[in-house]
Amino acid sequence: MNDETEDAVDALLREQFEGPVADDGFCSSVMDRLPARRRRDQWPMAAGIFAGVAACWFSLWSAPIAFDGWHDWLSGAPSAATLALFIVMMSMAVLALAWTIAEADDRYRPRRMVR
């Protein structure tokens, strides 16, 4: 459905809504019987981050531009290699931020306003 149809359906439902329906404790009993929500394991993400960092470090260990960039950056003398290293790091940070926002849980997204 498109937004126009959804807004019309929402408006009709809100006009007909008279308040909560008495369920004689049915919802409470169902919620009490549900198992606790499973926690996500954090070790796969930590292992993936560690493996990615190790793979990047290993692949860049012998690259002269990475070595020159780090050397120039730490010595305080900016160079083209330092700028390239900085741009790559900032691009990866922005990519991680965009990925995090895209994968965010729906409960943290703002709700659409109903007119």
Side-chain angles (χ1 to χ4, degrees):
M1 291 186 353
N2 59 22
D3 288 339
E4 207 171 279
T5 306
E6 288 178 11
D7 290 341
V9 170
D10 284 343
L12 287 172
L13 289 172
R14 289 185 190 283
E15 288 174 11
Q16 299 297 321
F17 182 67
E18 296 176 5
V21 177
D23 65 355
D24 297 325
F26 174 75
C27 290
S28 298
S29 66
V30 169
M31 293 303 288
D32 290 340
R33 292 180 189 165
L34 289 176
R37 182 178 284 193
R38 288 180 48 191
R39 287 185 50 115
R40 283 188 179 177
D41 291 333
Q42 296 296 323
W43 71 266
M45 183 176 63
I49 290 171
F50 178 74
V53 167
C56 287
W57 187 262
F58 183 71
S59 66
L60 292 175
W61 184 258
S62 62
I65 192 166
F67 180 75
D68 291 343
W70 281 114
H71 182 266
D72 293 345
W73 190 350
L74 294 176
S75 67
S79 65
T82 306
L83 183 62
L85 193 63
F86 183 72
I87 289 172
V88 167
M89 288 189 330
M90 289 298 109
S91 300
M92 294 304 289
V94 169
L95 179 64
L97 174 66
W99 188 4
T100 303
I101 290 171
E103 294 292 326
D105 198 359
D106 285 339
R107 64 183 157 184
Y108 299 115
R109 292 186 184 165
R111 299 274 183 215
R112 193 181 75 198
M113 297 292 291
V114 177
R115 296 177 195 165

